Amino acid sequence: MLDPMQMLNDASAFSALIIIGLIIFAEAGLLIGVLLPGDALLIPAGLLAAEGKLSLAGILIVAWIGSVLGSETGYYIGKKVGKRIFRRRNSLLFRQEYLAKAHKFYGKHGGKTILIARFLPFIRTCAPLVAGATKMNHHTFMIFNVIGGGIWVAVTVLASFWLGSIIPNVGSYILPITAVILICALTPALYKLLRSQKRTGKRHK
């Protein structure tokens, strides 16, 4: 099983930054990205930065660029072949009517959707693809992609960096620390999503 902490520890400082950039790029918008670590890579990276083994600024810049470019790539893949992928993979679940509903949802809550998706594993990878497939306005997508990517990377890396700075021998507690940061990051996103669904439900009553 892939151990992000060990992988980054074993690599040189420059190689570690390249690894972070490539994995975040793939995880942010390519379907294979659902199999790759996102938060689980950025958290150990922040902890290693707190120990002085990696550059904090380097992690923030590389991860942000990787997340933005990855999502942009996912958007264009969705725009070109998204509907065909959905039909081919599971015609029972991915129908034109579902894509039409998704298009309507993105039209109303496009920016909010992209921001929330950043903090939700798996959905983070699929959201750009669906946005492209449903022809979400690219200018809107790009703005929230850049902002959302920056917020997600900054919150995740800086939170782990801060914890690494105040907890001695923090590497020994990587699993509980990862769980705490993920819960803190997911809670606001899930709250916003549930609130949005509640309001939509009330309108249809």
Side-chain angles (χ1 to χ4, degrees), residues 31-48:
L31 284 177
I32 193 174
V34 297
L35 303 175
L36 298 172
D39 305 284
L41 179 71
L42 293 182
I43 292 169
L47 295 177
L48 288 172

Side-chain angles (χ1 to χ4, degrees), residues 13-175:
F14 179 76
S15 297
L17 291 178
I18 296 297
I19 290 169
I20 291 168
L22 290 175
I23 289 181
I24 295 301
F25 171 84
E27 198 258 0
L30 306 182
L31 284 177
I32 193 174
V34 297
L35 303 175
L36 298 172
D39 305 284
L41 179 71
L42 293 182
I43 292 169
L47 295 177
L48 288 172
E51 295 177 5
K53 296 180 180 178
L54 291 178
S55 163
L56 177 62
I59 295 168
L60 291 170
I61 293 169
V62 166
W64 177 61
I65 291 173
S67 71
V68 170
L69 293 181
S71 291
E72 280 289 318
T73 302
Y75 176 89
Y76 279 108
I77 290 173
K79 191 174 182 181
K80 294 293 183 184
V81 299
K83 291 184 180 181
R84 280 186 307 211
I85 290 175
F86 292 155
R87 288 200 301 266
R88 192 178 306 152
R89 289 190 131 219
N90 200 326
S91 59
L92 293 175
L93 294 178
F94 296 106
R95 297 179 181 177
Q96 289 298 323
E97 61 188 272
Y98 297 156
L99 287 173
K101 287 179 182 177
H103 182 270
K104 189 176 179 181
F105 182 82
Y106 272 93
K108 286 183 180 178
H109 312 290
K112 190 189 296 183
T113 302
I114 299 304
L115 285 173
I116 291 171
R118 282 291 183 183
F119 294 90
L120 302 172
F122 303 112
I123 295 177
R124 177 167 57 240
T125 303
C126 298
L129 184 69
V130 175
T134 56
K135 300 295 189 294
M136 177 181 177
N137 180 273
H138 179 254
H139 182 68
T140 301
F141 175 84
M142 183 172 63
I143 290 172
F144 284 98
N145 177 29
V146 170
I147 295 171
I151 293 173
W152 171 58
V153 169
V155 168
T156 308
V157 174
L158 293 178
S160 54
F161 179 83
W162 176 71
L163 286 174
S165 302
I166 62 172
I167 300 175
N169 195 26
V170 72
S172 305
Y173 312 103
I174 184 67
L175 289 178

